[in-house]
Structures are given as structure tokens and as C-alpha cells.
């Protein structure tokens, strides 16, 4: 079994994790100082959001130099120290790889726009004149084309104007990217999380989109014509040469399409991040709809049913682009129960768990009340577009932002109850949530019944019961609105997960004889058959006759 299947991966958003030099910005020495904490939690790998040289329009998802560390975060020596210190603790390091676009301050782009004869011009989608080559729109709202009056050029960007898209058709560009990958792998990094990897391939002709309202152009560039050719090339020339893993962020992907990337034998990527369960409370991000627990349950089960046995799932509830899960899918009136129930529901499924910083202590959405407390480029652009183009009121836009803004996940990590939550003694680049006074690592560590300790147990159980990693998956009562009841089997091991995803006590007809099972995890003292609000229980047994193998 490849190592990533038994890994538990912790995502660090470096800017918000731990400041070490009193400038209000998280950094690499700060991360190093917290490795013991992560080891105590039990995670076996860290995914670092971008730490490369960047003007930080999109907090590093706009890279200006792929082989340099942003001075805010430290030096290359700091990075090498982090790598060594992590490896010493049996913790692997996964880098974030943003290769759909660069920063507009990357030297490739600067040369591309300043010199018509430059070989770099073909690294991007650059067209002469002001006329937009097509009607495509950006993920962050507005046109996907920006005009440069001085150069009289227009260029394509699926994200912010400061993030011009790379042209993967160009073989020289592909060679340069492969060298960048080798640079980090030779240094010892253990893999990559590949940003919006399924957007890499654009068609030869950039035709007008027929999509309505949002993401015009998506029908051409999502899983575009040559995407598999490009990834096969990366696999052959780079991935196959190292003991590494990849997880590709694939937006708007179905299980069938995902298998084209991850099916065993294809192995272009080891896993994808899919978004079905991130759409259970919205039609398209900012178009909110009421959250229904059964939708979350079914979205996840769909991926279990389709991928297990043929590929490998990633399991996640949060990342740096999503609201906090306890605020979003849990219930703050049942804070501990709902946070731990969510962890149980998701992380006992088959796949590799990804835990986002602060999730393990139940951090909640930002408390912001005013637009200027937000820092995120997407949030600011969406506000403008909502106000000017959609003519929505300030109140309505603030409501959407409060619920959905990416900054909900980007407030400083809450270490203790001192000023700014122990993240920094200087004013942080983004305000801490004042609830650090009660929600923080120190308190979680001191309290035996904390969310942290629940996560720690959950992670430890993966090392004891191989059924948690390798077992198949069967969802029972799929239509039930409150009950989550699923079963995992592997050889002679059988595991049952029960969750009451509601505020009311829940009784149901068991499909197994629970008296034959041992409870290996429970977020409530209640031992009876009626599950309390948000109660989650995990049961295990060995079957004598090996009937499940
Ligand atoms: O965040 C989103 C919804 O608001 C997604 O649409 C997000 O933009 C998409 O998942 C792509 O995300 C990745 O690429 C972006 C970057 O801003 C995100 O932080 C990153 O995770 C551009 O590089
Ligand atoms: Ca710092």
C-alpha cells in the first residue's frame, strides 16, 4: 500500500499559523516551533499553502518565482530546516503547486508583454488590441481578459488579473515546470497539492462560451482537451521518478471524470479534491441555499461508491477557501458535539484525511462586521460586482460574505488566550477572532474532553484498525434525514459509524447486533440505543468466519 493512503495530512496556511518575528505574519520558523504540537496530534504530513516569492494579491496563489521563498516567510535555509525537522518527526511535507497561472510579476510574464519577439509571449494567452477575444469570465467575477493600454495587449486570466494563465501547449513551458518540480523533489519534499489542475488545458480556438451567468468558458477548459496528455508527461518524466504523492484540486468534477485522473493504472494523480460536498449549501458559491445534512451525507457517499476499489478518495471538510465547518455544517449551540460528529462522519470513510489548521480545535468563522476587515481578493471583487452589476444591497452582500468569505478560514490560528490568540504579539495581517479567549489550543490540550483530543483519538485509531483505512463502504438508510449509518468491512474486521445529524434524540432500527461490537469512539457519555443531539459513535468487531473478505 502506498504511504499516502495511511497518511493524515494537516494543511497549514502559513500566513496565519504562527508568527515568530513580531511582524504579524506567520512564517516558517513559526511552523517549526509548532511541529511538536502537530506530532502530538498525530498527523503524518503537512500540506503548506504557497510560500514562494509573490506579490501576494492572492496570498501566494500568484507566484513570481517558483524557486524562491517569500521573505515574509523566511529563507531557503528556514525551509530546509523545516523539511529536516518535519522528517525527523516522521512528518512529510507536501508543497502547493500553482501551475495553471503565474503572478503578473513573474519574469516570464514581464518579458512576454514587453517584447513581441520574446519566447515567453507564447507562455501565456496574449492577444493584441483591446477587443476581448471571447466572453469568458473569471472565477473571481468579471471578464477573464485584461487589457494593458501601454502595450496594447489583452491577456487571459481565469482568476484575478494579477494571475495570468499559462499556455501548456508550449513545450518549453512544460520543460521549465518539470524542472521546478525536480528542484523541490530533489530537496526532499514528498509531494504536491496541485492547484486547479483540471483547468490546465485550453482549446486551440478560444471560442465564445454559451454558458449563462457564471464561469463562461468553463465548458472548454474544465478537463480540457489535452489535460491527460500533460499529466501523463509530468507523471512519466517526474512523478514516477520519486516516492511522492499528488492531490489535484479539480473544480466541477464528477466521479467518472475524476477516475480519468486517478484510477489505478492511470495514476496521473493519486487523489483529487472534489467539491460536491462544498456545494450542499449553495448553487454556485455566492448563491446560497439552505443547508441540509442529508445532502452532505449523500454527496460524500456518492464519491465513496464511485471511487473505492478503483482509486483513492481525499476526505476534507475545510480548507483555506471554505468557511469553517462547525459554523457551516455544525451547530454552535451544540458546539463540541457537532464538531466531533462532523469529524466522525467524514474521517471514518475510505480515503486520506486532510485537516485544515484550527479545525482540530473547532475554530469558527470570522467575526468581522465591516468590509475593510476582510483581506481576500475574491471577497473584495465579489462585493464590488454584487453591488454594481447585480445591484444587491450592502446588507445582502455582507450577509453572503459573512457566510462564505474565504477569510473565514484565514484568521490567525488560536494558540492561547493571550493577545491575538498567541499567534503574534504584533497586530496580525488579518484580525484574530475574539473567541480565541475560549477557543484555543492551550485550553483544548488542558481539557480531556476537547475537540483536539477527539481528533487525536480518531487519528490514533487509524493506526490500530486497518479497516478504517482499507475497508469498503456501505451507506445504510440513505434516505434518512438525520441518521448517518455506514459500515466498513475489511478481512475479518467490521466497523459501524452512527451519527445523529440533528438536535433531537434519534431512535432507529439497527441493522446489526450491536451487542457483538465494541464502541471504539463516542462523543457522548450516553451508552443507550437512542442517539442524543449530534451524537457520533463508532463500533468495531472481528467476525470469526472472515465472511467479509
Ligand atoms: O475559492 C473558491 C470559491 O470561492 C474556488 O472557486 C477557488 O477559487 C477554486 O477552488 C480554486 O482555488 C485555488 O486556486 C485559486 C486560489 O485563489 C485558491 O486559494 C486556490 O485554492 C487560484 O489560484
Ligand atoms: Ca513573521
Amino acid at each position: 500500500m502506498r504511504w499516502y493512503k495511511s497518511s493524515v495530512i494537516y494543511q497549514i496556511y502559513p500566513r496565519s499559523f504562527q508568527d515568530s518575528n513580531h511582524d504579524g505574519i506567520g512564517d516558517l520558523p513559526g511552523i517549526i516551533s509548532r511541529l511538536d504540537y502537530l506530532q502530538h496530534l498525530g498527523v503524518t504530513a503537512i500540506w503548506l499553502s504557497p510560500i514562494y516569492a509573490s506579490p501576494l494579491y492572492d496570498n501566494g496563489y500568484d507566484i513570481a518565482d517558483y524557486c524562491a521563498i517569500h521573505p515574509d516567510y523566511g529563507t531557503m535555509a528556514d525551509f530546509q530546516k523545516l523539511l529536516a525537522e518535519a522528517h525527523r518527526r516522521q512528518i512529510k511535507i507536501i508543497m502547493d503547486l500553482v501551475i495553471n497561472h503565474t503572478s503578473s510579476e513573474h519574469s516570464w510574464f514581464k518579458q512576454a508583454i514587453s517584447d513581441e519577439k520574446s519566447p515567453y509571449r507564447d507562455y501565456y494567452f496574449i492577444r493584441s488590441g483591446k477587443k476581448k477575444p471571447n466572453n469568458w469570465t473569471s472565477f473571481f467575477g468579471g471578464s477573464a481578459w485584461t487589457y494593458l493600454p501601454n502595450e496594447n495587449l489583452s491577456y487571459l486570466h481565469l482568476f484575478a488579473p494579477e494571475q495570468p494563465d499559462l499556455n501548456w501547449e508550449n513545450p518549453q513551458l512544460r520543460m521549465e515546470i518539470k524542472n521546478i518540480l525536480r528542484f523541490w523533489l530533489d530537496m526532499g519534499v514528498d509531494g504536491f497539492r496541485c492547484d486547479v489542475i483540471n483547468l490546465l488545458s485550453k482549446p486551440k480556438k478560444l471560442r465564445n462560451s454559451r454558458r449563462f451567468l457564471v464561469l463562461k468558458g468553463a465548458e472548454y477548459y474544465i478537463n480540457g482537451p489535452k489535460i491527460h496528455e500533460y499529466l501523463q508527461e509530468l507523471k512519466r518524466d517526474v512523478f514516477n521518478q520519486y516516492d511522492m504523492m499528488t492531490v489535484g484540486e479539480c473544480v466541477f468534477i464528477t466521479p467518472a471524470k475524476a477516475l480519468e485522473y486517478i484510477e489505478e493504472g492511470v495514476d496521473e494523480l493519486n487523489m483529487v479534491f472534489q467539491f460536491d460536498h462544498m456545494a450542499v449549501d449553495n448553487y454556485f458559491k455566492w448563491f446560497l441555499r439552505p443547508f441540509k445534512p442529508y445532502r452532505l451525507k449523500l454527496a460524500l457517499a456518492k464519491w465513496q461508491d464511485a471511487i473505492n476499489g478503483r482509486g483513492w478518495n481525499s476526505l476534507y471538510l475545510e480548507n483555506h477557501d471554505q468557511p469553517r465547518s462547525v459554523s457551516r455544517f455544525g451547530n454552535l449551540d451544540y458546539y463540541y458535539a457537532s464538531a466531533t460528529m462532523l469529524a466522525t462522519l467524514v474521517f471514518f470513510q475510505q480515503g486520506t484525511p486532510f485537516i485544515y489548521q484550527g479545525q482540530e480545535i473547532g475554530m469558527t468563522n470570522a467575526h468581522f462586521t465591516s468590509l475593510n476587515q476582510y483581506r481576500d481578493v475574491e471577497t473584495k471583487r465579489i462585493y464590488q460586482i454584487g453591488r454594481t452589476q447585480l445591484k444587491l444591497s450592502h446588507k445582502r452582500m455582507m450577509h453572503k460574505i459573512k457566510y462564505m468569505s474565504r477569510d473565514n478560514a484565514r484568521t490567525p490560528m488560536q494558540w492561547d488566550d493571550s493577545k491575538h490568540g498567541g499567534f503574534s504579539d504584533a497586530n496580525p495581517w488579518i484580525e484574530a477572532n475574539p473567541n480565541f479567549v475560549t477557543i484555543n489550543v492551550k485550553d483544548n490540550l488542558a481539557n480531556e474532553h476537547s475537540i483536539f483530543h477527539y481528533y487525536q483519538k480518531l487519528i490514533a485509531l487509524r493506526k490500530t484498525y486497518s479497516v478504517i483505512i482499507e475497508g469498503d463502504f456501505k451507506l445504510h438508510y440513505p434516505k434518512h434525514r438525520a441518521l448517518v449509518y455506514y459500515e466498513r468491512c475489511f478481512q475479518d474486521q467490521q466497523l459501524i459509524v452512527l451519527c445523529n445529524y440533528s438536535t433531537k434524540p434519534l431512535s432507529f432500527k439497527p441493522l446489526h447486533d450491536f451487542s457483538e461490537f465494541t464502541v471504539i469512539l463516542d462523543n457522548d457519555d450516553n451508552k443507550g440505543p437512542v442517539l442524543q443531539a449530534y451524537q457520533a459513535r463508532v463500533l468495531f468487531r472481528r467476525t470469526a468466519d472472515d465472511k467479509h473478505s
Side-chain angles (χ1 to χ4, degrees):
M1 193 177 61
R2 292 284 323 278
W3 58 262
Y4 63 84
K5 295 189 176 179
S6 56
S7 295
V8 176
I9 303 180
Y10 187 89
Q11 183 190 353
I12 290 183
Y13 198 67
R15 218 169 172 70
S16 301
F17 192 61
Q18 177 68 70
D19 178 24
S20 74
N21 61 346
H22 323 286
D23 63 358
I25 300 172
D27 47 50
L28 295 171
I31 297 174
I32 295 171
S33 74
R34 295 298 185 178
L35 286 173
D36 288 339
Y37 166 75
L38 297 178
Q39 191 177 26
H40 187 54
L41 176 59
V43 301
T44 58
I46 292 169
W47 149 27
L48 283 181
S49 274
I51 51 168
Y52 314 96
S54 163
L56 303 174
Y57 284 104
D58 190 15
N59 282 348
Y61 285 89
D62 48 332
I63 300 175
D65 183 346
Y66 287 93
C67 298
I69 304 290
H70 194 294
D72 279 357
Y73 304 130
T75 63
M76 194 58 85
D78 291 327
F79 179 76
Q80 283 167 335
K81 179 156 181 232
L82 170 62
L83 205 52
E85 289 292 321
H87 285 166
R88 196 162 69 75
R89 293 170 176 81
Q90 265 44 264
I91 295 175
K92 296 187 189 286
I93 297 284
I94 313 295
M95 300 286 278
D96 212 313
L97 192 72
V98 191
I99 51 179
N100 173 70
H101 44 269
T102 66
S103 159
S104 51
E105 290 179 27
H106 196 291
S107 67
W108 298 341
F109 189 70
K110 288 200 213 152
Q111 294 174 67
I113 58 170
S114 62
D115 174 8
E116 192 181 351
K117 298 265 146 39
S118 163
Y120 296 109
R121 183 153 289 199
D122 188 51
Y123 275 31
Y124 297 89
F125 298 91
I126 298 177
R127 305 289 183 262
S128 59
K130 189 171 183 177
K131 188 168 173 293
K132 296 187 194 323
N134 63 31
N135 64 354
W136 293 9
T137 54
S138 140
F139 275 72
F140 294 161
S143 173
W145 294 92
T146 286
Y147 176 63
L148 300 168
N150 291 339
E151 292 82 5
N152 189 32
L153 295 172
S154 298
Y155 64 92
L156 177 73
H157 54 87
L158 296 185
F159 293 90
E162 294 83 6
Q163 295 167 297
D165 276 56
L166 286 167
N167 172 22
W168 275 73
E169 242 342 91
N170 185 302
Q172 192 66 28
L173 178 265
R174 298 204 300 276
M175 202 194 73
E176 297 216 44
I177 300 280
K178 287 188 276 186
N179 285 334
I180 291 162
L181 297 181
R182 292 186 189 105
F183 172 83
W184 291 104
L185 290 163
D186 289 339
M187 201 183 296
V189 314
D190 303 289
F192 296 105
R193 175 268 185 186
C194 312
D195 193 62
V196 289
I197 198 74
N198 67 328
L199 308 187
L200 249 47
S201 170
K202 280 81 178 177
K204 275 230 162 64
K205 284 217 172 78
L206 303 178
R207 292 196 172 83
N208 269 335
S209 172
R210 296 190 188 184
R211 276 176 61 99
F212 177 67
L213 211 59
V214 292
L215 283 194
K216 292 199 174 118
E219 72 270 45
Y220 298 118
Y221 60 71
I222 291 188
N223 312 314
K226 290 198 175 171
I227 182 64
H228 296 294
E229 218 175 280
Y230 300 151
L231 290 177
Q232 287 292 341
E233 181 180 331
L234 292 184
K235 178 191 165 193
R236 185 193 64 218
D237 295 350
V238 184
F239 301 164
N240 276 353
Q241 319 303 321
Y242 298 85
D243 178 24
M244 60 173 290
M245 64 146 265
T246 52
V247 53
E249 187 196 28
C250 288
V251 292
F252 300 98
I253 191 132
T254 61
K257 284 284 173 193
L259 283 168
E260 295 177 10
Y261 295 86
I262 60 172
E263 186 151 25
E264 271 166 42
V266 177
D267 301 315
E268 289 170 5
L269 300 167
N270 298 127
M271 294 171 263
V272 302
F273 285 132
Q274 56 86 15
F275 286 87
D276 282 344
H277 63 307
M278 294 291 122
V280 295
D281 57 354
N282 62 84
Y283 297 103
F284 176 73
K285 181 134 183 173
W286 303 98
F287 300 93
L288 306 176
R289 61 173 170 166
F291 168 61
K292 297 279 189 324
Y294 73 91
R295 285 206 203 110
L296 180 66
K297 162 173 99 171
L298 293 179
L300 292 167
K302 176 171 106 185
W303 282 82
Q304 290 291 305
D305 291 341
I307 304 298
N308 291 354
R310 299 178 67 183
W312 196 253
N313 271 299
S314 68
L315 306 172
Y316 77 95
L317 269 170
E318 292 184 20
N319 62 42
H320 65 293
D321 292 334
Q322 301 293 335
R324 290 291 185 177
S325 59
V326 64
S327 301
R328 183 183 192 183
F329 303 134
N331 184 333
L332 297 178
D333 295 334
Y334 298 84
Y335 172 68
Y336 171 82
S338 68
T340 51
M341 184 221 67
L342 282 167
T344 315
L345 194 172
V346 177
F347 294 132
F348 281 95
Q349 303 198 6
Q350 190 191 82
T352 299
F354 288 78
I355 299 168
Y356 180 67
Q357 66 181 45
Q359 181 180 344
E360 79 281 16
I361 56 163
M363 278 178 61
T364 61
N365 278 350
H367 69 294
F368 300 153
T369 51
S370 139
L371 188 63
N372 57 34
Q373 290 170 295
Y374 289 91
R375 297 284 173 269
D376 175 29
V377 58
E378 181 195 45
T379 303
K380 290 175 188 294
R381 285 178 67 90
I382 291 295
Y383 178 86
Q384 284 313 325
I385 288 165
R387 296 283 284 138
T388 56
Q389 292 176 22
L390 304 178
K391 307 273 184 245
L392 300 177
S393 67
H394 170 74
K395 202 171 153 207
R396 192 106 183 262
M397 284 316 294
M398 288 307 286
H399 171 77
K400 288 178 189 291
I401 286 171
K402 200 168 173 51
Y403 186 83
M404 262 305 182
S405 172
R406 307 195 295 184
D407 281 342
N408 282 316
R410 299 177 180 184
T411 58
M413 180 70 181
Q414 296 169 198
W415 295 104
D416 57 39
D417 56 3
S418 68
K419 202 166 177 210
H420 309 305
F423 162 73
S424 175
D425 47 19
N427 276 343
W429 70 278
I430 186 171
E431 276 173 59
N433 190 318
N435 69 14
F436 68 74
V437 179
T438 50
I439 300 176
N440 61 59
V441 168
K442 188 173 156 215
D443 189 73
N444 266 259
L445 290 176
N447 172 4
E448 204 189 314
H449 293 287
S450 64
I451 298 173
F452 175 92
H453 284 120
Y454 193 88
Y455 267 89
Q456 190 186 42
K457 268 181 225 144
L458 182 153
I459 293 168
L461 286 172
R462 298 177 73 82
K463 290 169 190 139
T464 315
Y465 300 98
S466 47
V467 63
I468 303 174
I469 293 164
E470 302 200 58
D472 58 16
F473 174 92
K474 183 165 173 35
L475 181 71
H476 297 298
Y477 290 107
K479 297 221 170 72
H480 202 295
R481 297 268 161 158
L483 177 66
V484 182
Y485 184 153
Y486 66 82
E487 179 179 351
R488 310 273 317 272
C489 291
F490 178 64
Q491 295 171 348
D492 65 341
Q493 304 174 42
Q494 191 178 13
L495 189 91
I496 307 282
V497 174
L498 301 171
C499 302
N500 174 6
Y501 207 149
S502 80
T503 55
K504 308 228 164 53
L506 173 67
S507 44
F508 59 95
K509 189 168 139 288
L511 304 175
H512 301 84
D513 180 358
F514 293 151
S515 69
E516 294 177 2
F517 287 75
T518 324
V519 175
I520 59 168
L521 191 65
D522 202 319
N523 67 356
D524 197 292
D525 292 336
N526 157 51
K527 305 259 181 302
V530 179
L531 297 177
Q532 301 305 299
Y534 297 102
Q535 186 168 359
R537 184 180 288 164
V538 183
L539 305 112
F540 174 83
R541 73 158 182 164
R542 277 183 200 280
T543 54
D545 53 0
D546 202 9
K547 69 182 173 199
H548 296 285
S549 62

